[in-house]
Amino acid sequence: MTTQRTLRWGALMLAVAAMAGCASTENALKDANALLQEREADKLLPVTNLSPYSLALGRFGRMLDIYKEGDPVLYMQTRSILDATNLSSPLVGAEIPGDITEMVRTAVNRIGARVVYVPYHPDYLVSQAQLGAKFGVTMPDFLITGALTEFDRAIAGAGRVNSAGIEFGGGNGKVTMGGDMKRTAIYSALALDLNLVSFATQQMVPQIQASNVVKVLNFSSEDNASLGFYGDAFGFKLEGKYLQGRHSAIRTLVDLSVLELIGKATNTPYWRCIPNGTPDPVVVENMRAAYNGLTPELKLGLIQVTLRKYGEPVQVTQKFDDDTRRALEKVYAQRYASLGAVDVMNWDGFEPLFFGVPMAWENAQANAPSGAPSSPAAGAPAGGVKAGS
């Protein structure tokens, strides 16, 4: 009995000493200084506010430089892009931003010189005009409209609790030990809808829209441990919580949606700017219809223009001359040999050539377009390019 009592009081003294050491003034000051230095180190240099798709917008701008060389600049403007869920109201905690127009403007402006944003600040212009300033007016080609349309809390969740305990002894020598770990993950969803409006007609452009959803993780953890003796006990509890920022998630959503919207408007393979992107059926179908509607001469001209983007020195003659034939055979043999024999006067033969124009950020192994067929049609001979009627 004496031995058990000695062990009990010895353990209690060690626990008290450990807790006292953790709570000492010296240790508290040390921890506070370390935390302060960490926070100050983070504040020394500002960090560029980029979403995962910000770089994709820059790539898209370089893609437009290649695909739209010689085309006029596209001028864009936005209406106010607001929260349509009313969850930005202070009455419900202002959980999401109420106005993301500036995020949309920033995303448009990331693309580059071929897509120019036209600000709309009439009060400022009127004030400056009263002071004698003179302005030129640039009318936009398209107007971006939209809103934050969904915010669903806790659309999915999962949790796990692991507990363990042990008890031995009896009477005044009874000893209990235990612990548990708790993990909880909850997902919420935010959605953004953007549409494109023709400024000249004030009509929405059919099928040119972006509607995307991003999931936000709320993760919490809790660890408990305890050691108890008959009549005496001590323990500790650790808690942690990780909540992804909703504003950062919305910026990611905005950048992706602007990329999709303007990619569709320009009929360019914008999905190649995104890692593991998949072809957009709207763009593919628009290009199919446009190409099939061209005359044979215009098709040959487009083929020659596209070959020049591959670095082939062909002239745009709208005729299937020897230089054009040799350039086609070279490009298809190097990049699309698995397609077998193709007729570039048909969309199925021209599609890989158009969507596979080389981009600077792609390596040699990724030259083939993600939307191109990966194997020749059944019964097609290996190799060979023709321009049939």
Side-chain angles (χ1 to χ4, degrees), residues 46-59 103 106-111 245 247-256:
V47 179
T48 303
N49 194 3
L50 297 175
S51 83
Y53 293 101
S54 297
L55 293 177
L57 287 168
R59 292 179 185 142
M103 288 187 185
T106 300
V108 173
N109 204 39
R110 287 191 197 279
I111 295 174
H247 290 62
S248 297
I250 289 173
R251 183 177 294 278
T252 299
L253 202 56
V254 166
D255 286 350
L256 172 62

Side-chain angles (χ1 to χ4, degrees), residues 190-242:
L190 289 159
L192 172 66
D193 285 33
L194 295 181
N195 284 281
L196 202 65
V197 175
S198 170
F199 189 82
T201 64
Q202 287 297 296
Q203 296 177 346
M204 280 191 177
V205 183
Q207 294 189 312
I208 307 300
Q209 79 287 316
S211 181
N212 295 300
V213 178
V214 64
K215 293 180 180 177
V216 182
L217 173 65
N218 184 344
F219 177 80
S220 61
S221 66
E222 182 178 319
D223 298 326
N224 297 283
S226 63
L227 174 62
F229 301 92
Y230 186 80
D232 304 288
F234 69 92
F236 67 90
K237 180 178 181 180
L238 299 176
E239 293 185 359
K241 190 172 183 180
Y242 172 72

Side-chain angles (χ1 to χ4, degrees), residues 45-327:
L45 294 175
V47 179
T48 303
N49 194 3
L50 297 175
S51 83
Y53 293 101
S54 297
L55 293 177
L57 287 168
R59 292 179 185 142
F60 179 64
R62 296 193 291 276
M63 175 179 282
L64 290 179
D65 289 338
I66 296 174
Y67 273 97
K68 301 300 177 181
E69 182 181 4
D71 287 4
V73 172
L74 197 64
Y75 293 100
M76 308 292 295
Q77 198 173 80
T78 66
R79 293 183 60 185
S80 295
I81 312 297
L82 306 176
D83 165 36
T85 67
N86 291 324
L87 289 172
S88 59
S89 170
L91 297 178
V92 293
E95 298 183 62
I96 56 177
D99 189 338
I100 61 169
T101 310
E102 204 62 37
M103 288 187 185
V104 176
R105 291 170 178 162
T106 300
V108 173
N109 204 39
R110 287 191 197 279
I111 295 174
R114 294 198 173 273
V115 179
V116 175
Y117 186 83
V118 180
Y120 178 67
H121 302 298
D123 295 340
Y124 171 80
L125 295 178
V126 170
S127 299
Q128 293 296 321
Q130 291 175 348
L131 296 176
K134 296 182 179 180
F135 304 98
V137 178
T138 300
M139 304 304 292
D141 299 302
F142 295 104
L143 185 66
I144 298 176
T145 66
L148 288 168
T149 52
E150 298 178 24
F151 178 30
D152 296 323
R153 296 187 193 89
I155 59 171
R160 174 178 292 182
V161 178
N162 296 323
S163 301
I166 187 171
E167 179 179 318
F168 57 89
N172 292 337
K174 183 178 179 180
V175 178
T176 60
M177 292 183 293
D180 62 75
M181 296 185 297
K182 182 179 180 181
R183 303 290 185 267
T184 305
I186 300 175
Y187 279 104
S188 301
L190 289 159
L192 172 66
D193 285 33
L194 295 181
N195 284 281
L196 202 65
V197 175
S198 170
F199 189 82
T201 64
Q202 287 297 296
Q203 296 177 346
M204 280 191 177
V205 183
Q207 294 189 312
I208 307 300
Q209 79 287 316
S211 181
N212 295 300
V213 178
V214 64
K215 293 180 180 177
V216 182
L217 173 65
N218 184 344
F219 177 80
S220 61
S221 66
E222 182 178 319
D223 298 326
N224 297 283
S226 63
L227 174 62
F229 301 92
Y230 186 80
D232 304 288
F234 69 92
F236 67 90
K237 180 178 181 180
L238 299 176
E239 293 185 359
K241 190 172 183 180
Y242 172 72
L243 176 62
Q244 288 181 321
R246 292 173 185 152
H247 290 62
S248 297
I250 289 173
R251 183 177 294 278
T252 299
L253 202 56
V254 166
D255 286 350
L256 172 62
S257 299
V258 168
L259 175 66
E260 178 184 349
L261 192 73
I262 301 182
K264 288 180 177 178
T266 55
N267 282 323
T268 49
Y270 67 90
W271 56 86
R272 295 175 60 193
C273 303
I274 308 170
N276 303 316
T278 57
D280 190 317
V282 173
V283 176
V284 174
E285 188 55 37
N286 285 346
M287 283 305 305
R288 180 194 304 275
Y291 189 74
N292 290 336
L294 296 176
T295 64
E297 292 77 16
L298 291 177
K299 286 182 179 180
L300 283 168
L302 181 57
I303 291 168
Q304 290 166 336
V305 169
T306 307
L307 286 171
R308 292 176 64 88
K309 301 182 190 302
Y310 282 80
E312 297 300 323
V314 298
Q315 300 299 317
V316 183
T317 61
Q318 296 188 354
K319 296 179 180 179
F320 191 61
D321 50 35
D322 290 340
D323 289 341
T324 302
R325 178 182 54 79
R326 283 192 293 266

